[in-house]
Every structure is written in structure tokens, then in C-alpha cells.
Amino acid sequence: MSIQFSEQKLAKVGEIIARYPEGKQKSALLPVLHLAQEEFGGWLSADTMDYVAELLCITPIEVYEVATFYSMYNTKPVGKFMFEVCQTGPCMVNGCDDIIAYIGEKLSIKPGETTTDGLFTLKTVECLGACGYAPMMQLGKFYREHLTKEKVDEIIAECRNKAALNN
């Protein structure tokens, strides 16, 4: 199999599995999937999910079911910057549909798509637990709140600047 964790990540996988009783290594699935997504380009290919199943001594379908259920896992390649816009009740009442449409218009993509330059992915997600800050989105590990078209423009510019600095 061509997919393999680095020695450092493999040691971390061992630490995670050791948290759980013997025979209950499936309990390590969520954190191991996070490590795999981080290690293998921000998404989980079928080969990656098969590798995780092998490490945890579970069947591949058990991994696929989890990876496709939770929005925090990506089962196809994503952009360097992923705009995960909340689309549940409070965000909807406060205009998330307009924000999603505006991001799509600015980047020429629809939810679930990535820009041709590979920089941005637009994703709609269920509640991110920040209802008082609606409309909002998650960008990496950070929340961007009280979104307006102007704030979206600033965020896109900030991301483009970061990308330019890293090239």
C-alpha cells in the first residue's frame, strides 16, 4: 500500500489507540481520521480510508460510514482555504444564503466545488455552535462571524495574500 503515516504520526496513532481498552480500537477512528486527513493532503481518499481501517483492525466500510457522515472529513480534494458556511436556522435567518451566493459569485464556484487554482473550496455545513454570531463560517481552525459582503471580500483578500506569501 502506497499510503503510510510518517514515523511521528504513526507513533501518535499508537498513543491514540492505547487510550482505549483492548479490542476497542475502533474508538480511535475519529482522531485517527483527523491525523490522516492532515497527513495526506487535507482529504481522505479510498486508499487512505483503507489504510486507517487496516491500522484499527476494522473493515473499510466502518471507516467510509464515518468519513462520509461527518462534514469535518473531506472525501475529495479541497482547496488550501475551505470556507465552511453554516446554513442552519439562526444563520439562515441572518442571511447565510446571501453570503453563500456571494462567495460563490466572487469565486465562481458552487457549494462543494473548488476554484480552478485550487485555493478555495466552498462548503455548506450544519450548525457550528456560534448562533449568536450569525451568519458565520469556519475557516481552518477559526470562526469568521457576523459575515457581510465586505467581510467576505476582506477574507478572500487575506487568503490570497497568505497564499502569495507562501509561494
Side-chain angles (χ1 to χ4, degrees):
M1 185 176 284
S2 62
I3 301 289
Q4 190 168 349
F5 278 122
S6 65
E7 288 299 318
Q8 181 182 6
K9 288 281 198 248
L10 202 51
K12 182 69 176 170
V13 169
E15 289 174 26
I16 292 168
I17 292 170
R19 296 176 192 163
Y20 304 98
E22 184 68 33
K24 302 293 183 186
Q25 64 277 4
K26 183 178 178 179
S27 300
L29 182 54
L30 294 177
V32 172
L33 283 175
H34 280 297
L35 287 178
Q37 187 164 273
E38 180 182 300
E39 180 92 345
F40 304 117
W43 70 289
L44 301 167
S45 68
D47 286 344
T48 300
M49 290 186 278
D50 291 348
Y51 176 60
V52 168
E54 184 181 309
L55 288 173
L56 298 178
C57 302
I58 59 177
T59 62
I61 190 63
E62 291 174 284
V63 178
Y64 302 160
E65 289 170 340
V66 170
T68 58
F69 178 79
Y70 291 107
S71 64
M72 63 193 145
Y73 300 116
N74 304 306
T75 56
K76 62 183 185 177
V78 295
K80 179 177 177 74
F81 302 101
M82 187 164 25
F83 292 178
E84 296 179 272
V85 183
C86 179
Q87 64 172 3
T88 49
C91 284
M92 189 152 304
V93 168
N94 284 288
C96 73
D97 286 344
D98 293 336
I99 295 298
I100 293 165
Y102 185 71
I103 293 169
E105 178 186 312
K106 289 294 286 189
L107 299 176
S108 300
I109 55 175
K110 294 177 183 152
E113 295 180 345
T114 300
T115 56
T116 55
D117 62 5
L119 274 184
F120 300 97
T121 296
L122 175 58
K123 190 173 183 180
T124 56
V125 296
E126 296 306 313
C127 186
L128 291 169
C131 303
Y133 307 106
M136 58 85 61
M137 72 173 172
Q138 185 169 347
L139 176 58
K141 295 181 180 183
F142 301 98
Y143 281 177
R144 298 302 181 97
E145 303 159 339
H146 302 292
L147 294 174
T148 62
K149 291 178 180 180
E150 295 76 21
K151 284 187 179 181
V152 167
D153 289 341
E154 290 171 14
I155 293 166
I156 291 171
E158 175 187 319
C159 292
R160 288 191 192 283
N161 289 337
K162 281 183 185 175
L165 289 174
N166 291 331
N167 283 338

